[in-house]
């Protein structure tokens, strides 16, 4: 009998040990990187299912924070620590204790302290505690299973650099359901963001219920069909629509609020209003008829500012919007409103006269008509205790006096606005338009609107222009990335476009510039990617691909290929078009000099199997390749890349104008002189131009070829005009 007992006991012990010995280590190498992390030599705190999460009694917000933390731990470790209210001064053992500390300077700052006995997370406000919880959550391995998690002893003192940390989502071009909006909000929280800019109205769909104007959703939320691709003139012949009821909007606002995220609604006016005009044609200058738009672009039919009924319509809509959204800010758009209709509209011209709106050297009377509209709406919203945000077009004319400006066409609008004393949110398309491609190698990418902002480019954004003085710098209140959804029809594609670029943005928004380092960021990224993996998120994996720099070297008469990866993984390449591998390929050691036509392929090989995509480039040689080249007119700085040599580097342009393979010459002829350096026969000359009308990029209208023996006197030998 004794023997049997003994045997049973041993069995039980073995079982218990199997679950208690598994240990996993947490680490604070999170994104965004905290401002100060100091570790001590003490033993780590052991987080397991017996740990309590304590919060001060009668603090409902901290109670909810405690519940969030318990839920986050459960997602990683499959056990949910119990939460417990404690009285002031009450000590709890083996606990994570949440609390407030008025001594913490920043409203969103926190201090996280870990000792072998426990963890405390204090914030000046509950918001700060929430960010401490996010840091702790991201420190824990995403897949901790049932393990005891060892949390390193030490202290984190952290606060955000910017008070406005936003992500935008356009639900006008495509509609995404409430459940996904919540998931998106969860992503914002994971990245320490505090503002969701919800772009609710568009030419292609009105997405928010307005009780006084039911046709906005009956008619305006539906379109008969959608153009295929980039305005191909072919359509899918499928009706498309959707909108959020006011109840759903309130539910989203509450969901966001619980995660310390403010929802800023945008009603884009006076342009991007075709869905509203289709619903109420009397609000437009011509009276219609109008249709909810089925293609992408900027359209001439806008709100008739001369029509008092249309202005009252805008005020009525915003009256309902402010009831739904408690945010201090309401975004009223102001972008891309063509003046064509106003110029011809008797009502608008009468308004210009009655308001004494005058053209000057910089602005037309119609520019001032838009300013009249924005200022009037601003006054209206100010009277309701709200402030406005507008896109940087609102600087064209008389800026609404208290407006905050969202700088999207690069940073100049924001710079100018800050100098004028306006608050500014930087959302430059050159860095944080997440509808742009995330790689220059676009051939396997889903269609995007154009542009190119890879992860590193996002990361490199410094939102505060150095040319501002200290006072002006204070007006840069934050940063946001925008996601326009013309080419994004599914939630999976939203994830693909925003992740992991949101991670880079998070660090721009949160971390001090002197602490930012892209290499270091990429080393911390896998820990966050493991969260994305666990949640089944569809993120871009471009960060593991090979980066290449290909240039023409006229001295060596060679195309030089320089390769790198973020983690210095070994790269193997071939030049004969065969599949590269560790067996079939040359190990890359230094820049490769290619002196004849080559079909280049390369792969980075990693022990964990996380290999790069195969990088491939066709390099062609002709009589101009790698010869010295001069340009008479320089390309636009936006499209100059490596300059003239881009034209003779053996590479053809891709289907993206922003790949670095195309130079852009706005309004000027391209005059290139290529020094062939010896007398040579030319039988054929060819060149290519990219045309992308959706980005206002036009082709060439003629080509002329001239030759010279001395580089001075040129003789035209061929020319052609193109319609
Ligand atoms: C914008 O991208 N039209 C603000
Ligand atoms: Zn009008």
């Amino acid at each position: 009998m004794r023997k049997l007992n003994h045997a049973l006991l041993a069995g039980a012990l073995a079982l218990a040990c199997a679950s208690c010995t598994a240990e996993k280590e947490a680490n604070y190498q999170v994104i965004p990187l905290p401002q100060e992390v100091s570790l001590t030599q003490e033993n780590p705190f052991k987080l397991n299912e017996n740990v309590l999460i304590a919060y001060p009694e009668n603090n409902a917000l901290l109670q909810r924070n405690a519940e969030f933390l318990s839920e986050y731990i459960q997602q990683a470790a499959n056990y949910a620590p119990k939460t417990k209210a404690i009285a002031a001064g009450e000590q709890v053992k083996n606990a994570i204790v949440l609390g407030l500390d008025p001594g913490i300077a920043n409203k969103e700052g926190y201090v996280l302290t870990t000792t072998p006995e426990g963890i405390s997370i204090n914030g000046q406000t509950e918001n700060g505690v929430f960010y401490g919880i996010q840091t702790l959550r991201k420190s824990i391995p995403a897949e901790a299973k049932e393990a005891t998690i060892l949390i390193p002893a030490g202290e984190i003192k952290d606060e955000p650099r910017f008070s406005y940390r936003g992500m935008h989502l356009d639900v006008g071009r495509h509609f995404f359901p409430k459940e996904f909006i919540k998931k998106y909000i969860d992503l914002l929280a994971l990245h320490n963001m505090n503002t969701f800019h919800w772009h609710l109205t568009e030419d292609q769909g009105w997405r928010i219920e307005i009780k006084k104007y039911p046709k906005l959703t009956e008619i305006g939320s539906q379109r008969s069909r959608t153009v295929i691709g980039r305005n191909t003139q072919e359509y899918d012949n499928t009706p498309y629509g959707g909108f959020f009821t006011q109840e759903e909007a309130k539910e989203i606002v509450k969901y966001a609020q619980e995660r310390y995220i403010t929802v800023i609604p945008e009603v884009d006016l006076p342009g991007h209003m075709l869905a509203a005009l289709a619903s109420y044609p009397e609000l437009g200058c011509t009276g219609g008829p109008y249709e909810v738009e089925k293609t992408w672009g900027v359209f001439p039919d806008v709100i008739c500012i001369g029509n008092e009924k249309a202005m009252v319509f805008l005020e009525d809509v915003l009256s309902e919007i402010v009831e739904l959204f408690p945010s201090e800010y309401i975004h009223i758009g102001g972008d891309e409103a063509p003046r064509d209709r106003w110029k011809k509209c008797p009502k608008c011209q009468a308004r210009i006269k009655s308001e004494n709106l005058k053209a000057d050297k910089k602005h037309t009377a119609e520019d001032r008509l838009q300013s009249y509209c924005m200022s009037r709406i601003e006054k209206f919203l100010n009277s309701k205790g709200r402030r406005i945000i507008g896109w940087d077009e609102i600087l064209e004319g008389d800026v609404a006096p208290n407006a905050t400006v969202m700088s999207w066409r690069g940073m100049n609008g924001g710079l100018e606005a800050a100098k004028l004393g306006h608050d500014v949110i930087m959302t430059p398309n050159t860095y944080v338009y997440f509808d742009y491609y995330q790689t220059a190698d676009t051939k396997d990418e889903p269609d995007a609107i154009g542009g190119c902002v890879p992860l590193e480019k996002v990361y490199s954004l410094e939102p505060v222009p150095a040319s501002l003085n200290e006072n002006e710098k204070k007006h840069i209140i934050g940063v946001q990335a925008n996601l326009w959804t013309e080419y994004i029809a599914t939630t999976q594609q939203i994830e693909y476009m925003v992740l992991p670029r949101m991670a880079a943005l998070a660090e721009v928004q949160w971390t001090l510039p002197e602490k930012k380092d892209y290499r270091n960021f990429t080393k911390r990224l896998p820990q966050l990617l493991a969260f994305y993996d666990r949640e089944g998120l569809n993120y871009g994996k471009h960060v593991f691909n090979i980066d290449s720099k290909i240039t023409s070297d006229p001295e060596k008469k060679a195309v030089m290929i320089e390769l790198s990866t973020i983690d210095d993984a070994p790269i193997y390449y071939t030049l004969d078009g065969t599949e590269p591998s560790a067996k079939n390929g040359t190990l890359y050691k230094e820049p490769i000099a290619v002196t004849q036509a080559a079909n280049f392929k390369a792969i980075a090989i990693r022990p964990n199997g996380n290999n790069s995509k195969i990088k491939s480039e066709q390099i062609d040689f002709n009589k101009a390749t790698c010869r010295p080249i001069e340009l008479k007119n320089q390309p636009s700085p936006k499209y100059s890349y490596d300059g003239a040599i881009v034209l003779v580097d053996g590479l053809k342009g891709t289907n993206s104008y922003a790949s670095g393979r195309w130079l852009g010459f706005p309004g000027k002829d391209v005059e290139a002189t290529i020094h062939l350096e010896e007398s040579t026969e030319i039988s054929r000359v060819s060149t290519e131009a990219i045309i992308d009308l959706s980005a206002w990029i036009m082709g060439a209208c003629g080509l002329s070829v001239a030759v010279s023996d001395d580089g001075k006197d040129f003789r035209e030998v061929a020319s052609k005009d193109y319609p």
Side-chain angles (χ1 to χ4, degrees):
M1 196 59 201
R2 269 187 82 90
K3 209 170 173 192
L4 189 65
N5 263 349
H6 191 80
L8 269 176
L9 193 63
L13 265 180
L15 230 136
C17 278
S19 63
C20 75
T21 50
E23 286 182 342
K24 293 212 167 176
E25 284 177 24
N27 82 73
Y28 301 130
Q29 295 296 302
V30 299
I31 292 170
L33 187 66
Q35 313 299 1
E36 273 185 65
V37 179
S38 39
L39 298 179
T40 65
Q41 296 304 313
E42 292 174 289
N43 286 330
F45 175 69
K46 292 187 173 183
L47 171 61
N48 57 37
E49 60 191 321
N50 302 320
V51 167
L52 278 178
I53 303 173
Y55 59 90
E57 59 184 357
N58 304 322
N59 187 326
L61 295 180
L62 286 183
Q63 176 177 2
R64 193 163 56 218
N65 280 354
E67 285 156 7
F68 277 134
L69 178 56
S70 176
E71 200 179 305
Y72 296 148
I73 293 170
Q74 170 151 49
Q75 287 161 357
N78 293 339
Y79 52 79
K82 289 199 176 59
T83 62
K84 179 182 175 2
I86 54 172
E90 184 180 338
Q91 299 293 317
V92 267
K93 288 221 163 78
N94 201 29
I96 302 170
V97 183
L98 310 183
L100 297 180
D101 176 356
I104 292 170
N106 188 293
K107 271 203 172 72
E108 295 176 298
Y110 67 90
V111 177
L112 186 157
T113 311
T114 306
T115 68
E117 284 75 45
I119 297 179
S120 68
I121 304 175
N122 287 308
Q124 189 210 92
T125 66
E126 291 83 359
N127 307 47
V129 176
F130 185 73
Y131 296 115
I133 288 171
Q134 294 305 321
T135 292
L136 181 58
R137 163 200 196 186
K138 285 178 273 193
S139 304
I140 294 171
E143 298 277 7
K145 302 284 190 281
E146 278 78 18
T148 290
I149 301 157
L150 307 179
I151 317 264
E155 186 176 71
I156 299 178
K157 282 189 182 159
D158 198 12
E159 63 179 43
R161 178 181 181 197
F162 292 105
S163 62
Y164 183 110
R165 303 181 303 281
M167 274 295 294
H168 152 285
L169 180 65
D170 163 19
V171 296
R173 274 56 177 261
H174 284 102
F175 174 78
F176 306 98
K178 181 182 76 179
E179 290 67 35
F180 181 78
I181 305 296
K182 289 183 179 174
K183 189 172 179 186
Y184 198 73
I185 286 167
D186 286 334
L187 283 177
L188 267 68
L190 177 69
H191 294 85
N192 294 21
M193 297 182 190
N194 63 4
T195 309
F196 171 45
H197 170 177
W198 201 6
H199 184 83
L200 284 166
T201 66
E202 258 309 332
D203 294 308
Q204 295 85 359
W206 184 283
R207 305 282 178 227
I208 179 75
E209 177 189 25
I210 300 294
K211 304 259 197 221
K212 191 161 184 186
Y213 298 93
K215 285 197 242 168
L216 285 173
T217 42
E218 282 164 25
I219 295 171
S221 75
Q222 306 293 319
R223 60 179 178 253
S224 57
R225 51 188 187 154
T226 304
V227 72
I228 292 171
R230 296 170 184 248
N231 286 350
T232 55
Q233 303 189 11
E234 284 180 38
Y235 292 84
D236 64 2
N237 296 329
T238 308
Y240 185 92
F243 68 91
F244 298 94
T245 64
Q246 295 203 345
E247 283 314 304
E248 286 174 320
K250 285 187 211 160
E251 188 183 326
I252 300 263
V253 166
K254 180 167 179 286
Y255 188 87
Q257 225 163 29
E258 288 169 359
R259 289 150 183 83
Y260 304 92
I261 290 167
T262 302
V263 182
I264 297 182
E266 179 183 356
V267 173
D268 199 350
L269 60 93
H272 290 287
M273 272 280 172
L274 267 169
L277 299 188
S279 314
Y280 296 96
E282 64 273 25
L283 306 178
C285 291
T286 66
Y290 306 105
E291 277 186 298
V292 179
E293 187 52 48
K294 308 172 291 284
T295 67
W296 316 125
V298 173
F299 304 94
D301 284 304
V302 298
I303 287 283
C304 177
I305 297 173
N307 180 353
E308 188 54 25
K309 207 174 147 193
M311 293 305 294
V312 171
F313 162 81
L314 296 177
E315 293 172 354
D316 287 344
V317 165
L318 290 166
S319 295
E320 292 193 31
I321 291 288
V322 297
E323 290 302 315
L324 300 175
F325 297 93
S327 56
E328 179 187 12
Y329 283 120
I330 305 291
H331 200 307
I332 60 169
D335 61 322
E336 299 176 325
R339 319 304 197 206
D340 314 44
R341 297 290 183 259
W342 299 337
K343 282 187 186 143
K344 297 204 173 118
C345 170
K347 284 186 192 147
C348 286
Q349 290 303 315
R351 176 83 81 187
I352 284 172
K353 215 162 163 200
S354 68
E355 294 295 325
N356 199 23
L357 306 174
K358 296 248 161 42
D360 61 18
K361 278 202 190 103
K362 276 170 78 184
H363 304 293
T364 64
E366 288 75 22
D367 291 340
R368 296 223 123 94
L369 185 64
Q370 161 140 351
S371 302
Y372 161 81
C373 172
M374 303 316 277
S375 294
R376 177 165 160 180
I377 298 294
E378 169 169 69
K379 215 180 284 167
F380 178 77
L381 285 168
N382 286 168
S383 78
K384 295 190 172 288
R386 307 304 179 91
R387 300 174 63 192
I388 67 157
I389 303 179
W391 298 108
D392 59 41
E393 282 93 334
I394 66 169
L395 296 164
E396 294 160 7
D398 314 290
V399 199
N402 307 312
T404 292
V405 174
M406 210 167 243
S407 187
W408 74 276
R409 295 173 298 180
M411 315 257 286
N412 281 343
L415 184 108
E416 193 190 327
K419 282 187 189 289
L420 291 171
H422 290 268
D423 281 350
V424 170
I425 298 152
M426 285 294 186
T427 72
N429 54 356
T430 39
Y431 291 86
V432 284
Y433 262 40
F434 289 177
D435 55 335
Y436 285 18
Y437 286 106
Q438 50 194 314
T439 168
D441 183 8
T442 56
K443 59 183 181 295
D444 300 325
E445 290 294 307
D447 267 352
I449 200 159
C452 183
V453 287
L455 193 66
E456 186 167 10
K457 175 92 182 182
V458 176
Y459 195 84
S460 72
L461 171 59
E462 171 42 57
V464 182
S467 60
L468 294 179
N469 69 33
E470 289 313 304
N471 216 24
E472 292 161 348
K473 282 179 179 170
K474 290 192 191 120
H475 284 298
I476 313 293
I477 61 168
V479 191
Q480 171 179 294
N482 297 337
L483 193 73
W484 303 101
T485 58
E486 286 94 333
Y487 299 93
I488 303 175
T490 65
T491 58
Q492 287 84 355
Q493 206 184 334
I494 290 183
E495 293 169 14
Y496 181 75
M497 297 307 273
V498 303
L499 300 175
R501 289 190 282 192
M502 259 175 98
L505 173 68
E507 213 138 288
V508 173
Q509 294 170 329
W510 186 279
T511 307
L512 291 173
E514 57 271 26
K515 301 221 156 70
K516 275 175 66 203
D517 176 80
Y518 182 67
R519 273 262 157 169
N520 180 277
F521 165 78
T522 57
K523 289 203 172 15
R524 286 179 280 118
L525 190 59
Q527 188 165 324
L528 186 61
L529 296 184
F531 272 75
Y532 299 171
D533 281 325
R534 189 188 73 203
E535 300 302 320
L537 293 159
N538 179 37
Y539 61 91
K541 301 195 169 66
H542 309 78
V543 68
F544 296 115
N545 287 340
I546 296 172
D547 242 348
S548 64
K549 185 158 177 55
I550 305 184
T551 52
S552 98
D553 184 335
E555 304 265 301
K556 292 195 176 108
K557 304 264 181 300
V559 173
M560 302 301 297
I561 307 179
E562 206 179 323
L563 305 174
S564 60
T565 57
I566 52 156
D567 53 355
D568 298 320
I571 300 171
Y572 294 88
Y573 69 91
T574 61
L575 293 168
D576 59 3
T578 56
E579 291 292 288
S581 65
K583 283 202 191 94
N584 177 44
T586 309
L587 178 64
Y588 174 83
K589 293 203 177 98
E590 58 184 8
I592 310 158
V594 177
T595 54
Q596 56 187 7
N599 186 347
F600 165 80
K601 290 194 167 149
I603 187 168
I605 295 186
R606 297 186 173 87
N608 62 3
N610 209 354
N611 296 345
S612 74
K613 202 177 105 176
I614 290 182
K615 172 136 217 126
S616 61
E617 294 291 357
Q618 179 63 44
I619 296 163
D620 294 322
F621 268 74
N622 59 54
K623 289 184 173 177
T625 308
C626 298
R627 302 290 152 159
I629 177 169
E630 287 161 34
L631 287 170
K632 186 168 159 202
N633 298 319
Q634 292 313 303
S636 136
K638 220 170 131 186
Y639 300 117
S640 44
Y641 306 105
D642 290 335
I645 58 167
V646 165
L647 303 178
V648 290
D649 60 3
L651 301 171
K652 283 217 161 128
T654 66
N655 62 1
S656 161
Y657 62 81
S659 61
R661 303 273 167 99
W662 299 101
L663 304 184
F665 296 84
K668 287 185 209 154
D669 281 348
V670 184
E671 201 172 318
T673 307
I674 302 169
H675 299 274
L676 301 180
E677 297 183 317
E678 59 191 347
S679 284
T680 184
E681 195 175 306
I682 304 167
S683 57
R684 203 165 67 86
V685 172
S686 73
T687 183
E688 287 185 343
I690 189 167
I691 300 176
D692 187 345
L693 297 184
S694 66
W696 303 282
I697 290 169
M698 316 295 169
C701 53
L703 176 67
S704 150
V705 182
V707 297
S708 165
D709 290 322
D710 58 6
K712 290 191 191 97
D713 295 324
F714 281 84
R715 176 165 56 90
E716 185 178 86
V717 291
S719 73
K720 191 158 182 176
D721 290 332
Y722 307 106

